[in-house]
């Protein structure tokens, strides 16, 4: 999995495992229940929404995105159990006692395709008009068919074949983090990771999509594989692996000799301890370290970066009420979006375009050129995903 840990813990965020509940409303309107990632939403945003909410508002916090994905799977199994015909013959089983899914949960964009394909989530009641605050690339990104694939450009996002499955609320980028030293190379491009002075001195994420995507970026100026679905629709996994291998094997060998470890968890600690000279990681995972260790620097080359979003999604069987819609809209309003972005762990997608960025956030924004060249990681066809994984195993075994 792609690990994206939020290190911002304390009063600015919600503590893991806690449940913050609002007061019950006299209106009798159904409550809003939300599961979110630790540190993802500042407590000030939560409290501001509660003041205007007309019902009970509960937020449950999880430490890792994977645990949220597992919760979606448990809710689905409970739903299948309650719908089982056996329940008709077991009157002592009360369907109301089965755990009900929350109205919304926070999910990383990497998990979106699997959540849709496994029938863990349902479309959100969003329209092209309600998505207007978002950059067009993210409007297109959350429009998927029932297999989790993004429709072809010739298809309309409002066609029966596609739906809006998620509402992005925070975006972060892949960055190069290094210690500022007199003999340290500057990082103006991703290819600067190949500097001879960095041989055996960098760490990369332990994930094939990110590493092979980085190689794609160096080769083609895009993190996303150029996949011709018509030309490759009948290609076997072995053929796809062969095509990718021809393109990426030699670049991988060049990059691999720079790598001391592929590590998504402890690379930052190794950098702080001066066991590494540079790492590639998510911007949100290094906020606290950059504030604490003044010798560390983070940079995104102007050629662009990979963008990753945390999103609100609707679990299978979850109810959508007015408070559900209100919370999604609230996260996109300028005030809450500014507070959400101020933590440094990510920036609201509403600030990724236009001139609406508050002055307090200007120093942390990607440059206009860098942003134009940046992109989300698009979902791969199943055959290509399998080919990526097999090529990754082959390349790693050849260089072990």
């Amino acid at each position: 999995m792609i690990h994206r840990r939020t290190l911002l813990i304390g009063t600015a965020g919600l503590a893991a495992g806690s449940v913050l509940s609002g007061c019950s409303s006299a209106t009798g309107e159904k409550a809003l229940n939300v599961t979110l990632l630790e540190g993802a939403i500042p407590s000030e945003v939560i409290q501001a929404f509660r003041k205007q909410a007309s019902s009970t508002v509960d937020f449950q916090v999880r430490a890792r995105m994977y645990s949220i994905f597992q919760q979606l799977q448990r809710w689905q199994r409970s739903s299948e159990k309650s719908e089982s015909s056996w329940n008709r013959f077991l009157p002592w089983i009360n369907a109301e006692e089965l755990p009900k899914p929350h109205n919304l949960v926070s999910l990383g964009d990497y998990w979106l395709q699997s959540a849709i394909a496994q029938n863990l989530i349902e479309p959100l009641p969003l329209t092209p008009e309600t998505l207007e605050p978002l950059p067009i690339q993210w409007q297109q990104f959350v429009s998927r068919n029932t297999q989790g694939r993004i429709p072809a450009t010739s298809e309309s996002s409002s066609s029966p074949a596609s739906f809006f499955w998620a509402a992005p609320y925070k975006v972060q980028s892949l960055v190069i983090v290094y210690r500022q030293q007199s003999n340290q190379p500057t990082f103006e491009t991703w290819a600067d990771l190949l500097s001879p002075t960095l041989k055996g001195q960098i760490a990369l994420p332990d994930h094939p999509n990110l590493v092979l995507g980085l190689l794609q970026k160096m080769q083609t100026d895009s993190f996303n594989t150029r996949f011709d679905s018509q030309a490759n629709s009948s290609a076997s996994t072995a053929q796809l692996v062969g095509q990718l291998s021809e393109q990426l094997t030699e670049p991988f060998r060049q990059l691999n000799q720079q790598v001391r470890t592929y590590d998504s968890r402890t690379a930052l600690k190794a950098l702080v301890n001066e066991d590494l000279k540079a790492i590639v990681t998510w911007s949100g995972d290094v906020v606290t370290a950059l504030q604490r260790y003044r010798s560390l620097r983070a940079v995104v080359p102007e050629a662009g970066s990979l963008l990753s979003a945390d999103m609100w999604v609707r679990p299978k069987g979850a109810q959508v009420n007015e408070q559900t819609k209100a919370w999604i809209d609230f996260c996109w309003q300028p005030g809450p979006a500014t507070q959400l972005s101020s933590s440094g762990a990510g920036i609201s997608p509403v600030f990724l375009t236009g001139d609406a960025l508050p002055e307090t956030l200007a120093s942390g924004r990607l440059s206009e050129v860098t942003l134009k060249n940046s992109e989300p990681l698009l979902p791969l066809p199943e055959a290509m995903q399998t080919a990526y994984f097999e090529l990754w195993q082959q390349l790693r075994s050849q260089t072990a």
Side-chain angles (χ1 to χ4, degrees):
M1 73 188 103
I2 298 181
H3 297 284
R4 292 192 350 213
R5 297 175 294 122
T6 302
L7 302 183
L8 193 68
I9 302 175
T11 58
L14 307 183
S18 68
V19 179
L20 300 186
S21 302
C23 298
S24 298
S25 171
T27 63
E29 186 177 340
K30 293 182 179 179
L32 172 67
N33 295 290
V34 180
T35 299
L36 51 83
L37 190 65
E38 174 187 358
I41 303 293
S43 58
E44 295 86 352
V45 174
I46 301 290
Q47 298 303 329
F49 182 74
R50 282 212 178 99
K51 290 181 180 179
Q52 70 175 45
S54 59
S55 65
T56 304
V57 180
D58 296 332
F59 292 86
Q60 183 169 345
V61 182
R62 295 298 180 94
R64 297 189 180 280
M65 195 67 75
Y66 182 55
S67 66
I68 296 179
F69 189 81
Q70 290 179 312
Q71 181 63 66
L72 287 172
Q73 293 176 320
R74 287 192 290 270
W75 279 329
Q76 184 201 48
R77 290 194 292 269
S78 295
S79 175
E80 291 175 348
K81 179 180 178 181
S82 66
E83 295 173 359
S84 170
S85 60
W86 282 102
N87 284 353
R88 293 179 298 163
F89 307 105
L90 303 174
W92 57 88
I93 294 183
N94 187 349
E96 293 297 323
E97 295 177 356
L98 295 173
K100 292 183 179 180
H102 287 178
N103 303 93
L104 293 170
V105 305
S106 175
L107 197 67
D109 63 270
Y110 172 73
W111 303 91
L112 184 60
Q113 183 177 14
S114 295
I116 296 172
Q118 294 182 33
N119 200 30
L120 305 181
I121 62 176
E122 296 186 49
L124 286 169
L126 301 173
T127 65
E129 290 72 27
T130 58
L131 287 171
E132 283 182 357
L134 304 181
I136 186 65
Q137 63 181 166
W138 288 108
Q139 295 181 37
Q140 295 169 344
F141 188 82
V142 300
S143 175
R144 307 288 182 99
N145 60 25
T146 53
Q147 286 75 49
R149 298 289 308 283
I150 297 176
T153 54
S154 59
E155 298 176 10
S156 168
S157 61
S158 60
S159 70
S162 63
F163 308 91
F164 294 121
W165 293 86
Y169 66 88
K170 185 173 63 177
V171 176
Q172 57 182 315
S173 60
L174 208 60
V175 297
I176 301 172
V177 185
Y178 63 97
R179 293 195 315 277
Q180 191 176 36
Q181 297 175 331
S182 59
N183 62 343
Q184 180 79 351
T186 58
F187 294 98
E188 297 179 355
T189 70
W190 292 103
D192 290 332
L193 291 168
L194 301 176
S195 169
T197 62
L198 295 176
K199 186 173 182 179
Q201 294 295 319
I202 72 173
L204 297 180
D206 186 17
H207 195 281
N209 288 37
L210 294 185
V211 175
L212 298 183
L214 181 58
L215 291 175
Q216 291 278 356
K217 179 67 175 178
M218 293 180 180
Q219 300 297 307
T220 68
D221 290 331
S222 173
F223 283 91
N224 291 294
T225 302
R226 298 296 190 263
F227 182 77
D228 187 337
S229 58
Q230 292 184 342
N232 295 284
S233 58
S234 59
S236 66
T237 298
Q239 290 173 321
L240 292 174
V241 170
Q243 294 172 16
L244 287 171
S245 178
E246 183 177 350
Q247 178 187 2
L248 298 178
T249 296
E250 184 55 35
F252 178 83
R253 287 173 178 164
Q254 295 176 15
L255 181 61
N256 186 70
Q257 68 180 357
Q258 307 294 95
V259 179
R260 175 174 294 186
T261 181
Y262 293 93
D263 191 334
S264 302
R265 293 182 181 272
T266 63
L268 180 58
K269 181 179 179 180
L271 180 65
V272 169
N273 292 337
E274 301 188 6
D275 294 327
L276 295 169
K277 290 186 177 180
I279 66 173
V280 175
T281 188
W282 293 108
S283 58
D285 287 350
V286 295
V287 174
T288 301
L290 291 173
Q291 294 171 346
R292 181 177 301 173
Y293 302 101
R294 299 299 181 180
S295 63
L296 295 185
R297 296 290 184 271
V299 63
V300 177
E302 275 200 354
S305 182
L306 193 64
L307 301 178
S308 178
D310 288 343
M311 306 174 161
W312 301 123
V313 298
R314 173 191 177 189
K316 182 72 174 179
Q319 295 181 346
V320 174
N321 53 37
E322 289 305 312
Q323 290 302 314
T324 305
K325 301 175 185 177
W327 171 247
I328 292 174
D329 179 69
F330 184 78
C331 291
W332 292 338
Q333 293 176 15
T338 300
Q339 290 179 307
L340 191 149
S341 305
S342 297
S343 68
I347 189 169
S348 170
V350 302
F351 294 141
L352 292 180
T353 59
D355 301 322
L357 187 75
E359 292 183 5
T360 54
L361 300 178
S363 62
R365 188 192 190 192
L366 299 176
S367 71
E368 185 175 348
V369 173
T370 301
L371 185 58
K372 182 179 179 180
N373 294 328
S374 299
E375 59 191 328
L377 189 64
L378 302 179
L380 291 170
E382 184 176 354
M384 184 60 76
Q385 181 64 61
T386 302
Y388 252 51
F389 183 74
E390 291 194 8
L391 177 63
W392 171 252
Q393 290 183 312
Q394 289 180 18
L395 294 175
R396 292 288 298 276
S397 63
Q398 291 172 7
T399 56

